[in-house]
Amino acid sequence: MDLRNQRASRNVEDRRGMGLGRIGGGLGVGAIVIAVIAYFLGFDPGTVINVAEQVSSPQDTREVPKGAPADEMGQFASKVLGSTEHVWGQIFEQSNAQYRPPTLVLYDGQVRSACGMGQSAMGPFYCPGDQKLYIDLSFFRDLQTRFGAPGDFAQAYVIAHEVAHHVQRLTGSFRKLEAAQGRVSREEFNAISVRMELQADCYAGVWGHHAGTLNQLQAGDVAEALGAATAIGDDRLQKQTQDRVVPESFTHGSSEQRVRWFRRGLESGNPQDCDTFAAARL
Ligand SMILES: [Zn+2]
């Protein structure tokens, strides 16, 4: 990517190196087990940590001043966030709406969110309760070493995917998932989750389309993001972890689906082409 001309967003809370501070109730072993399973099965931690919340302690109220961190990775993440703010700001404006950007929280190890405790093992997640996206930047290293998806645009895709969940929060798609929680069968819930996730991939593609228009993409970037989408498909993750594929338990979609929806957004640049909820075939 070429982000030289991109302003770094100041909507960043840098909690790296801060630890957790006082832990009230403590994080039970159960929550950790749930979180790790969530990660390996590709569940979206945004929904899973609601379970973890029951055994975790109250909110950490320590204020962390917002601003773009100075280090290279922090600057990169802040600039990608800045680019998403620019792109979604314009898209919302075109439909006479105002885009209220999310906050990006950088942390290491564990983090407290309005959705409960976050663990780096869960991978990046978005919490609709506090409208923040949480990323342990070591995930970017995992993306390269464990998932074989190197490259800065692969990393940017991950941020853009979490930002897309925020867009869903603003547009109301997220409510479909919240409304279903605890009221439908596991299979039905997972089916809604897959539509949510594929829409987020498509929205990430929409951002990528406009980043291209802003001359922020370089040769090879798109291939990097497609590599990341392939690497984190549920079928691929399941094969890696349990040697078989169980489509009913998919919550993010197969590699092929993730790539296809991302590409769709990337080619059109129009979020209206991302209606996975109306799609007959995912
Ligand atoms: Zn997601």
Side-chain angles (χ1 to χ4, degrees):
M1 296 196 74
D2 182 353
L3 294 170
R4 270 174 302 178
N5 295 322
Q6 176 60 53
R7 156 196 77 81
S9 169
R10 294 190 51 76
N11 293 318
V12 180
E13 247 177 62
D14 193 355
R15 290 177 170 265
R16 289 173 295 173
M18 286 183 60
L20 268 182
R22 180 184 52 83
I23 299 182
L27 181 66
V29 173
I32 294 167
V33 171
I34 291 164
V36 172
I37 291 171
Y39 174 57
F40 287 124
L41 295 187
F43 292 155
D44 203 325
T47 54
V48 174
I49 47 181
N50 287 329
V51 182
E53 166 72 1
Q54 292 157 12
V55 289
S56 71
S57 48
Q59 279 290 297
D60 190 345
T61 49
R62 282 180 303 171
E63 282 285 317
V64 176
K66 281 199 210 176
D71 64 293
E72 194 184 337
M73 284 307 291
Q75 269 289 310
F76 172 75
S78 307
K79 285 189 170 194
V80 171
L81 187 67
S83 177
T84 65
E85 287 169 1
H86 177 80
V87 168
W88 286 110
Q90 285 194 334
I91 291 173
F92 272 62
E93 208 175 283
Q94 277 157 18
S95 44
N96 292 318
Q98 204 197 346
Y99 179 64
R100 295 184 307 277
T103 298
L104 169 64
V105 180
L106 303 176
Y107 74 99
D108 36 35
Q110 297 182 23
V111 71
R112 222 177 290 270
S113 79
C115 297
M117 292 295 301
Q119 301 267 332
S120 43
M122 294 158 66
F125 66 96
Y126 172 71
C127 173
D130 55 21
Q131 304 192 28
K132 293 179 180 179
L133 30 140
Y134 293 83
I135 298 184
D136 181 327
L137 292 178
S138 67
F139 180 77
F140 291 159
R141 200 181 51 228
D142 287 356
L143 206 55
Q144 181 160 355
T145 56
R146 283 197 47 206
F147 300 114
D152 57 358
F153 194 61
Q155 299 167 354
Y157 157 75
V158 170
I159 296 174
H161 174 97
E162 299 308 327
V163 168
H165 284 315
H166 177 68
V167 171
Q168 291 174 320
R169 165 81 171 59
L170 298 179
T171 58
S173 305
F174 221 96
R175 253 179 268 134
K176 292 188 173 77
L177 195 70
E178 287 168 333
Q181 200 162 23
R183 294 178 44 210
V184 298
S185 70
R186 186 60 182 248
E187 288 73 23
E188 285 171 86
F189 184 80
N190 287 350
I192 298 170
S193 173
V194 167
R195 287 180 194 270
M196 287 276 305
E197 293 301 330
L198 292 177
Q199 185 176 60
D201 285 332
C202 186
Y203 283 173
V206 167
W207 164 75
H209 174 94
H210 294 281
T213 312
L214 296 166
N215 293 322
Q216 293 179 343
L217 299 195
Q218 293 168 313
D221 275 346
V222 169
E224 284 172 13
L226 294 177
T230 304
I232 55 183
D234 285 334
D235 49 346
R236 179 75 77 91
L237 289 178
Q238 286 188 355
K239 262 188 207 146
Q240 272 180 5
T241 54
Q242 57 191 27
D243 267 341
R244 65 202 169 93
V245 176
V246 186
E248 297 78 11
S249 66
F250 285 3
T251 52
H252 283 71
S254 68
S255 295
E256 186 270 331
Q257 288 172 322
R258 298 199 72 165
V259 165
R260 192 153 34 77
W261 281 97
F262 172 74
R263 203 192 275 276
R264 188 169 173 147
L266 189 69
E267 280 163 11
S268 92
N270 182 354
Q272 284 173 358
D273 290 328
C274 296
D275 193 353
T276 52
F277 292 94
R281 172 177 170 260
L282 285 179

